[in-house]
Amino acid sequence: MKPESDSDFSAFVAARWPRLVRIAYMLTGDFHEAEDLVQTTLVKVGAQWRRVHPGEVDVYVRRALVNNNRSRLRKKRVTHILVPFLPEPEPVGHLETNDYRVAILQALSALSTRQRTVLILRYWEDMSENEVAKILNCAPGTVKTHAHRGLTALRAHPALTSFTGAAQ
């Protein structure tokens, strides 16, 4: 899709919204934060829409989503330092109907931000190592390392050990 006009941007948002929210949900672990993250990202992308190279729209938006998530985490760290205890996360409703899905999300949340991002882009989004490296602005070898370490951590996570054949 060639980014030329506001109607093109609206069509892009309408077509990509569900997928972007799913990616953001996997990154944040909270549906409401995921929607906020996607909205913030799309507002920023919308301001630059005419400057985005036509062949790079999806990569540009995913990179912006990942970068905005990093910024959100940096801001959140300050809040965590200021708050003596963290509130319990609220259930997400229809997204937590499957015990295995809940276990995966719990295990993903235990990973580092970089490992979680690599695993989501590499396996959830089915992107190649080179595509992930391009989004994260790193070498493909770094993506392989984060993927390997992330998968190893997932396999050993207690939430997934009760499921036979989990994360293999």
Side-chain angles (χ1 to χ4, degrees), residues 23 62 114-133 135-136 140 143-144 146-148 151:
I23 294 169
R62 284 186 182 124
R114 194 73 155 182
Q115 288 174 352
R116 182 172 54 250
T117 302
V118 165
L119 291 179
I120 291 166
L121 293 176
R122 180 78 175 94
Y123 300 108
W124 180 267
E125 283 297 299
D126 197 28
M127 297 174 75
S128 71
E129 290 161 350
N130 290 334
E131 291 170 324
V132 175
I135 288 173
L136 297 179
V143 171
K144 290 178 186 179
H146 285 301
H148 174 74
L151 289 173

Side-chain angles (χ1 to χ4, degrees), residues 95-111:
L95 294 175
E96 288 190 359
T97 57
N98 185 323
D99 290 339
Y100 188 63
R101 175 180 275 175
V102 172
I104 288 177
L105 290 173
Q106 184 181 15
L108 280 171
S109 69
L111 297 176

Side-chain angles (χ1 to χ4, degrees), residues 13-82:
V13 170
R16 301 299 197 290
W17 178 263
R19 173 164 242 140
L20 291 172
V21 171
R22 281 191 301 269
I23 294 169
Y25 177 68
M26 298 294 284
L27 290 170
T28 64
D30 180 87
F31 183 73
H32 301 292
E33 282 188 40
E35 284 188 328
D36 289 346
L37 177 61
V38 173
Q39 286 176 354
T40 302
T41 300
L42 291 175
V43 166
K44 291 178 181 180
V45 168
Q48 302 295 321
W49 185 247
R50 293 177 191 261
R51 296 181 187 172
V52 179
H53 187 273
E56 300 289 321
V57 174
D58 285 321
V59 171
Y60 183 86
V61 173
R62 284 186 182 124
R63 180 180 292 150
L65 188 69
V66 168
N67 289 339
N68 285 327
N69 184 53
R70 286 185 198 154
S71 296
R72 180 190 67 84
L73 289 173
R74 281 192 292 271
K75 291 174 188 173
K76 200 173 189 177
R77 250 184 249 137
V78 172
T79 305
H80 285 207
I81 292 169
L82 299 175

Side-chain angles (χ1 to χ4, degrees), residues 138-159:
C138 65
T142 303
V143 171
K144 290 178 186 179
T145 300
H146 285 301
H148 174 74
R149 290 178 182 165
L151 289 173
T152 301
L154 285 180
R155 287 181 183 113
H157 195 278

